[in-house]
Amino acid sequence: MPAASPSARRPGPPATLGAAFRRGLVDSAPFLLVVGPFALLFGVVATEAGLDLAQTMGFSVLVIAGAAQLTALQLMSENAPVIVILASALAVNLRMAMYSASLAPWIGAAPLWQRALAAYLLVDQSYAVSLANYEAEPRWSLPQRMALFLGTVALIAPVWYACTLAGALLGRGIPPALALDFAVPITFISLIAPGLRTLAHVAAALVAVILGLALAGLPYNLGLPLAALAAMATGAEVERQGLARPIRRERVE
């Protein structure tokens, strides 16, 4: 039988800080299969867009948000206005505000420096793994939750930096046959699919997909923020109408 997902675990005795850290480490490790190629892709694209090594690494280390980085790079290569580049990158990363609100009940009471560190290291993978474990282990203390969160990025962040550097140094030396861009959709599919728990989630996802494709021809990728706003409005309206009932999932033995 496959290993149980974090959300499927039964609450157990409180873990030590080391055990909580290791759980975050283990649960996030599979994401390295897509984080590495994603970072390589960014390093290559950044180099081809004209960024030097320092700019590429500064971009990756300071922003640490792959989708927003690629969006900004594409618009920069199209000579889009700065305001459009900033607005598009912020729109892509708007989900981080929702991630923060979702994690606040669990780690919002942490000291300021810990919250600042968590804000910097908050990425899709650290959010998904942390929230699933927090919900599975509601009795954990705040230090245990923070230890788990740090464990989720202990591998992902260094691999992101290292693979960005490798992509920037190798540049066009990476064979096109590797098709590194596969990592972008797979990353988000692996994160979003388990999160489709209610009809509101499914409705928002469908609207995002349909409008994202329908508006793909708009200049400067403006279709992306428009589709995101429409999707959020749809999900909120479905919840307001009281239709956001949970989706039943059959267990696979």
Side-chain angles (χ1 to χ4, degrees), residues 146-205:
M146 287 303 306
L148 180 128
F149 182 90
L150 293 177
T152 65
V153 291
L155 290 175
I156 287 176
V159 167
W160 176 261
Y161 304 144
C163 288
T164 297
L165 178 61
L169 291 175
L170 295 174
R172 295 177 182 175
I174 298 179
L178 287 181
L180 295 175
D181 52 352
F182 83 92
V184 180
I186 288 179
T187 296
F188 289 101
I189 290 173
S190 65
L191 292 167
I192 293 172
L196 299 179
R197 300 176 182 175
T198 70
L199 291 180
H201 297 152
V202 173

Side-chain angles (χ1 to χ4, degrees), residues 57-82:
M57 292 307 300
F59 200 171
S60 192
V61 171
L62 293 176
V63 178
I64 193 170
Q69 292 173 216
L70 288 175
T71 298
L73 275 180
Q74 181 180 351
L75 294 174
M76 289 165 63
S77 65
E78 296 175 359
N79 296 316
V82 174

